[in-house]
């Protein structure tokens, strides 16, 4: 009679422990999932000016990017970012990593 009781007890222990081991292995699988990158302000400017033509398109895109850089600069000031880090932050925030505002 002790043998079936031991089997039942072992099964219960496995049922309790198995989800714990499964939960510990799940976080290692999570980094494999790609995280969507938020659209930069540059992408937004390109999208909002795409139905314009010629000089109007260039002017509106240039204004949009200038406003994006000002917004990012304000954010850097609020976060107390200074020096080269501020310059990099504004470029990254505005989406002009190469420093250009137009394509």
């Amino acid at each position: 009679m002790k043998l079936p009781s031991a089997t039942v007890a072992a099964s219960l222990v496995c049922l309790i422990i198995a989800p714990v081991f499964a939960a510990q292995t799940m976080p290692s699988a999570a980094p494999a999932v790609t995280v969507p990158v938020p659209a930069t302000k540059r992408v937004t400017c390109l999208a909002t000016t795409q139905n314009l033509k010629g000089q109007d398109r260039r002017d509106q895109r240039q204004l949009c990017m200038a406003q994006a850089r000002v917004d990012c600069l304000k954010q850097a000031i609020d976060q107390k970012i200074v020096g080269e880090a501020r310059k990099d932050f504004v470029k990254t925030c505005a989406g002009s990593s190469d420093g250009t505002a137009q394509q």
Side-chain angles (χ1 to χ4, degrees), residues 14-33:
C14 289
L15 288 174
I16 294 170
I17 293 175
V20 173
F21 286 128
Q24 289 177 352
T25 59
M26 292 303 286
S28 64
V33 176

Side-chain angles (χ1 to χ4, degrees), residues 79-93:
Q79 294 179 9
K80 308 266 190 255
I81 300 172
V82 295
E84 192 67 28
R86 179 184 285 185
K87 184 178 177 181
D88 292 340
F89 176 83
V90 171
K91 282 183 179 181
T92 303
C93 174

Side-chain angles (χ1 to χ4, degrees), residues 23-53:
Q24 289 177 352
T25 59
M26 292 303 286
S28 64
V33 176
T34 57
V35 178
V37 177
T40 62
K41 296 178 188 224
R42 178 182 173 90
V43 172
T44 304
C45 290
L46 293 173
T48 57
T49 59
Q50 92 184 64
N51 55 350
L52 298 174
K53 300 286 183 205

Side-chain angles (χ1 to χ4, degrees), residues 6-19:
T7 306
V8 171
S11 298
L12 289 174
V13 170
C14 289
L15 288 174
I16 294 170
I17 293 175

Side-chain angles (χ1 to χ4, degrees), residues 46-102:
L46 293 173
T48 57
T49 59
Q50 92 184 64
N51 55 350
L52 298 174
K53 300 286 183 205
Q55 190 64 43
D56 287 338
R57 177 186 236 175
R58 286 187 291 276
D59 291 343
Q60 288 303 314
R61 188 176 296 160
Q62 192 173 16
L63 285 171
C64 183
M65 284 304 299
Q67 184 61 51
R69 283 189 293 275
V70 169
D71 292 344
C72 291
L73 179 58
K74 287 179 180 179
Q75 186 177 349
I77 291 169
D78 289 343
Q79 294 179 9
K80 308 266 190 255
I81 300 172
V82 295
E84 192 67 28
R86 179 184 285 185
K87 184 178 177 181
D88 292 340
F89 176 83
V90 171
K91 282 183 179 181
T92 303
C93 174
S96 58
S97 60
D98 61 351
T100 60
Q102 295 183 6

